[in-house]
């Protein structure tokens, strides 16, 4: 997997030469030289040119926009009140994850994990192909063929629940970072990976001693005079800027911002249809001379009309369609309206708009830390068995796969002195927890009637996730990025898929000319000192 699309990447050879040069740059704090073996070996990548663009991703420059539903809410639900928020720059997949993408993941799981010993790992990742069944329709052809037949290779994968989509993102992080290290000569290719003995980004960074570190003297130069690695070098670190951040699902705010793609001109004005859809217009048909009248998205026009009349199939698809078939939006993103709806990270709440922060808005934080008890017990290698946990329904579910670092929820005792957070689970913060109610899960004072009946059930809980965008089964109303719906995270349908996103670290603009207006202190302030 060559990363042909990656930009602004520091070659390892150049990085090694920089680190090996003595005294080329000086600390603005102490006046001591960086990257000098005679001066302690403190190495700093001073020629970092910005984050590379990972495979399949498109850079989205962030900014402020009006998030929420700005069209008439004919359902009269109005749970998505418009509000102005700021989205940081980020990366997002150019198109939805396809069947062939997901089958590559399934193949890796089947190849690496012993199917006799860990059969549940592969089975838990399989899409639910039975989502195609309808008691009053004949869909067995899709049940048998949609996931695996080459005719559907580049159609969006469906039948994947939120949990499965999140695990795919984690797997993709490790495979991309592994390939980066192989391409740059830091790691050898290792096709003999088995069970817990495979490359994992967090293990590589935080658990030195794994065999997936510097091999055959292919590591980076180790400038420390007390290095135990000798000529073999050292593994890559976060400070080197070589490894990419995690692939993940986009937040609801990120997805909506990316879907509009022209948010700078978006104003809350219900008197106009401008910017109603992801292609920034009110017409559903292509206005260009070559494709005039063709549909701009794969959606349902009305009852019984999935693709138009015979002889002129206006959107060419009765169900999903291959990705990149319809025109992209102004960010270069395909199918942000129609084809399939898409999972986002957020936990659903009807009134999220009145609760969340206006910068990087998100509901769903669950804070964890690496479980150091395994190190204390002398288990230096990652946990080699599946880590299970009990969900809110009392069922056992896979929490961590073999080869991943064991984690645990942060405890309240660990955070007593913190002002910004104290708990591990903030999914229901200010909406369902103790802080958000006068009487929560306890009787009211004597003589007073209860304000709410907390014994009643609800369709919305801490495992209810948001999905965005219209699909091949939806009317045009749901194509507007401001609309939102929800589903339990362990449920799947034939019209929900997903795409991955990634954080942008550092400078928020991708233009290197704009980024280099400011010279780092060590290159500016001390030049006259060294003269």
């Amino acid at each position: 997997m060559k990363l042909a699309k990656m930009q602004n990447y520091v070659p390892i050879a150049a990085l090694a030469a920089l680190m090996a040069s003595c005294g080329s740059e000086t600390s603005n704090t102490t006046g001591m030289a960086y990257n000098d073996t005679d001066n302690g070996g403190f190495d700093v990548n001073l020629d970092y040119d910005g984050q590379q663009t990972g495979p399949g991703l498109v850079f989205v420059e962030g900014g402020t926009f009006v998030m929420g539903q700005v069209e008439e809410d004919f359902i009269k639900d109005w749970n998505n009140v418009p509000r102005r928020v700021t989205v940081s720059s980020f990366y997002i997949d150019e198109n939805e994850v396809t069947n062939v993408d997901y089958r590559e993941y399934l193949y890796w799981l089947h190849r690496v994990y012993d199917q006799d010993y860990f059969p549940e790992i592969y089975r838990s990742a399989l899409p639910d192909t039975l989502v195609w069944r309808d008691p009053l329709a004949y869909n067995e052809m899709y049940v048998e063929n949609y996931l695996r037949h080459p005719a559907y290779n580049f159609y969006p994968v469906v039948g994947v629940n939120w949990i499965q989509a999140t695990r795919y993102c984690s797997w993709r992080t490790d495979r991309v970072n592994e390939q980066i290290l192989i391409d740059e000569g830091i790691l050898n290719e290792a096709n003999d990976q088995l069970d817990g003995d495979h490359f994992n980004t967090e293990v590589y960074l935080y658990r030195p001693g794994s065999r997936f570190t510097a091999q055959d003297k292919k590591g980076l130069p180790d400038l420390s005079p007390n290095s135990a690695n000798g000529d073999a070098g050292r593994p890559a670190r976060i400070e080197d800027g070589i490894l990419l951040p995690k692939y993940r699902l986009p937040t609801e705010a990120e997805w909506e911002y990316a879907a509009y793609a022209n948010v700078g001109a978006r104003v809350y004005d219900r008197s106009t249809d401008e910017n109603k859809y992801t292609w920034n217009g009110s017409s559903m048909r292509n206005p260009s001379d070559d494709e005039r009248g063709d549909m701009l998205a794969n959606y349902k026009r009305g009852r019984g009309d999935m693709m138009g009349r015979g002889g002129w199939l206006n959107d060419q698809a009765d169900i999903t369609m291959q990705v990149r078939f319809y025109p992209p939006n102004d960010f270069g993103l395909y199918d942000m309206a129609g084809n399939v709806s898409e999972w986002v990270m957020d936990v659903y709440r009807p009134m999220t708009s009145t609760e969340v922060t206006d910068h990087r808005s998100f509901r769903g934080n669950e804070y964890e830390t690496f479980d150091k008890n395994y190190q204390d017990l002398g288990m230096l290698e990652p946990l080699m068995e599946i880590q299970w946990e009990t969900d809110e329904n009392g069922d056992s579910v896979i929490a961590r796969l073999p080869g991943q670092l064991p984690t645990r929820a942060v405890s309240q005792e660990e955070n007593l002195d913190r002002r910004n957070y104290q708990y591990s689970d903030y999914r229901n913060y200010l909406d369902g927890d103790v802080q958000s109610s006068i009487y929560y899960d306890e009787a009211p004072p004597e003589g007073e009637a209860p304000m709410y009946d907390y014994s009643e059930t609800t369709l919305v809980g801490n495992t209810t996730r948001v999905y965005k965008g219209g699909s091949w089964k939806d009317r045009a109303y749901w194509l507007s990025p401001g609309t939102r719906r929800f589903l339990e995270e362990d449920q799947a349908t034939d019209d929900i898929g997903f795409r991955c996103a990634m954080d942008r670290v550092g400078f928020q603009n991708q233009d290197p000319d704009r980024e280099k207006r400011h010279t780092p202190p060590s290159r500016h302030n001390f030049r006259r000192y060294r003269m």
Side-chain angles (χ1 to χ4, degrees):
M1 184 191 302
K2 297 297 182 182
L3 309 186
K5 284 188 154 186
M6 293 187 174
Q7 304 293 328
N8 303 325
Y9 187 73
V10 182
I12 297 301
L15 182 62
L18 171 69
M19 290 179 173
S21 62
C22 296
S24 60
E25 299 291 350
T26 308
S27 167
N28 197 40
T29 301
T30 64
M32 296 180 178
Y34 294 141
N35 307 314
D36 190 341
T37 55
D38 296 329
N39 195 35
F42 178 55
D43 52 49
V44 181
N45 182 1
L46 296 170
D47 280 353
Y48 179 70
D49 287 333
Q51 183 175 343
Q52 58 183 315
T53 301
L57 298 177
V58 171
F59 175 75
V60 174
E61 183 176 348
T64 183
F65 83 113
V66 178
M67 181 181 178
Q69 189 170 349
V70 299
E71 302 82 38
E72 180 182 3
D73 183 9
F74 74 88
I75 300 178
K76 307 304 178 186
D77 192 21
W78 208 247
N79 68 2
N80 199 13
V81 179
R83 67 277 190 192
R84 183 168 291 280
V85 299
T86 291
V87 172
S88 300
S89 296
F90 65 102
Y91 299 84
I92 192 168
D93 271 340
E94 190 173 14
N95 54 261
E96 294 148 341
V97 173
T98 65
N99 285 319
V100 73
D101 296 331
Y102 201 85
R103 291 206 314 270
E104 183 179 4
Y105 165 55
L106 294 175
Y107 178 83
W108 187 92
L109 292 178
H110 196 277
R111 176 174 66 87
V112 170
Y113 289 110
D114 186 331
Q115 296 305 300
D116 293 328
Y117 195 73
F118 295 115
E120 56 271 87
I121 293 178
Y122 180 77
R123 286 202 294 259
S124 67
L126 286 171
D128 181 8
T129 59
L130 299 183
V131 295
W132 288 105
R133 284 183 172 167
D134 185 322
L136 296 177
Y138 174 67
N139 288 338
E140 290 305 295
M141 189 271 289
Y142 302 131
V143 173
E144 298 167 0
N145 293 292
Y146 183 82
L147 175 63
R148 300 187 183 276
H149 196 284
Y152 297 108
N153 272 347
F154 301 104
Y155 283 56
V157 67
V158 298
V160 174
N161 63 40
W162 184 92
I163 297 171
Q164 291 172 318
T166 300
R167 288 181 182 160
Y168 172 91
C169 294
S170 178
W171 166 84
R172 187 174 172 186
T173 300
D174 296 334
R175 303 289 71 73
V176 168
N177 280 330
E178 179 183 13
Q179 191 62 47
I180 289 174
L181 296 176
I182 290 172
D183 289 344
E184 296 303 331
I186 299 175
L187 283 185
N188 291 328
E189 292 196 38
N191 295 321
D192 59 338
Q193 302 180 38
L194 181 65
D195 296 334
D197 188 17
H198 63 264
F199 179 86
N200 176 271
T201 302
E202 291 177 338
V203 172
Y204 180 85
L205 289 173
Y206 305 122
R207 281 285 183 89
S210 165
R211 75 181 177 105
F212 294 97
T213 54
Q215 300 178 33
D216 294 341
K217 300 183 180 180
K218 291 187 177 183
L220 293 173
D222 194 336
L223 305 181
S224 171
N226 300 319
S227 170
N229 295 327
D231 294 334
R234 63 167 177 81
R237 302 169 181 151
I238 295 176
E239 293 90 334
D240 299 319
I242 296 172
L243 298 176
L244 289 178
K246 298 175 181 178
Y247 282 82
R248 56 174 175 78
L249 294 178
T251 66
E252 181 178 4
E254 288 172 337
W255 192 98
E256 192 169 322
Y257 180 91
Y260 278 113
N262 190 21
V263 293
R266 185 170 181 242
V267 178
Y268 174 45
D269 182 0
R270 292 176 62 188
S271 65
T272 177
D273 286 334
E274 186 179 3
N275 303 324
K276 183 175 182 179
Y277 301 112
T278 181
W279 49 85
N280 301 313
S282 59
S283 174
M284 304 296 299
R285 296 183 181 272
N286 199 321
S288 69
D289 293 337
D290 295 338
E291 300 175 325
R292 189 179 300 277
D294 286 352
M295 305 308 298
L296 292 170
N298 178 16
Y299 72 103
K300 183 177 181 179
R301 257 72 66 204
R303 182 173 177 82
D305 184 4
M306 310 300 291
M307 60 178 174
R309 297 172 65 97
W312 188 48
L313 302 181
N314 47 35
D315 73 7
Q316 308 296 316
D318 61 330
I319 54 165
T320 57
M321 172 53 84
Q322 62 190 24
V323 299
R324 306 193 191 188
F325 183 84
Y326 307 98
N329 68 10
D330 289 347
F331 277 139
L333 305 176
Y334 293 87
D335 293 318
M336 296 298 283
N339 220 6
V340 292
S341 303
E342 299 178 19
W343 288 113
V344 296
M345 276 208 301
D346 295 58
V347 168
Y348 176 81
R349 286 295 187 275
M351 296 305 294
T352 291
S353 59
T354 63
E355 302 152 0
V356 296
T357 307
D358 59 359
H359 176 233
R360 300 178 64 93
S361 300
F362 171 67
R363 174 181 287 280
N365 282 311
E366 295 179 85
Y367 299 127
E368 295 182 331
T369 185
F370 296 135
D371 195 341
K372 294 183 174 57
N373 289 332
Y374 290 96
Q375 286 185 335
D376 296 340
L377 293 173
M379 298 176 64
L380 297 180
E381 289 299 315
L383 190 67
M384 302 302 286
E385 298 291 333
I386 296 176
Q387 182 180 350
W388 298 87
E389 67 180 17
T390 303
D391 64 13
E392 296 184 350
N393 299 320
D395 298 325
S396 294
V397 296
I398 297 175
R400 287 292 184 276
L401 298 178
Q404 297 178 331
L405 286 184
T407 61
R408 61 171 176 80
V410 298
S411 66
Q412 188 173 351
E413 291 75 15
E414 291 175 300
N415 301 309
L416 291 177
D417 296 330
R418 291 194 175 274
R419 297 176 63 89
N420 54 334
Y421 76 97
Q422 289 189 326
Y423 309 101
S424 63
D425 189 352
Y426 278 89
R427 289 175 296 175
N428 64 347
Y429 183 59
L430 298 182
D431 191 353
D433 59 355
V434 177
Q435 291 88 342
S436 61
S437 59
I438 298 177
Y439 312 122
Y440 183 80
D441 206 22
E442 61 183 8
E446 185 176 355
E448 294 186 20
M451 295 182 63
Y452 304 102
D453 184 0
Y454 289 106
S455 64
E456 292 183 358
T457 60
T458 175
L459 295 176
V460 177
N462 293 338
T463 57
T464 306
R465 301 288 174 170
V466 178
Y467 66 92
K468 299 283 285 184
S471 74
W472 63 274
K473 296 177 73 173
D474 292 316
R475 307 288 182 95
Y477 170 80
W478 295 106
L479 300 188
S480 172
T483 58
R484 64 203 295 252
R485 287 171 285 183
F486 60 90
L487 187 69
E488 281 298 295
E489 63 183 29
D490 61 353
Q491 299 295 303
T493 71
D494 61 357
D495 61 344
I496 299 180
F498 70 101
R499 71 180 75 209
C500 303
M502 179 185 290
D503 291 318
R504 166 75 173 185
V505 295
F507 197 69
Q508 293 293 287
N509 189 281
Q510 203 176 27
D511 183 352
D513 295 331
R514 295 177 64 181
E515 184 174 3
K516 292 180 180 178
R517 288 178 182 174
H518 301 286
T519 306
S522 62
R523 300 185 182 186
H524 177 71
N525 295 345
F526 266 83
R527 280 221 157 83
R528 60 179 182 273
Y529 171 80
R530 290 199 301 272
M531 293 173 61

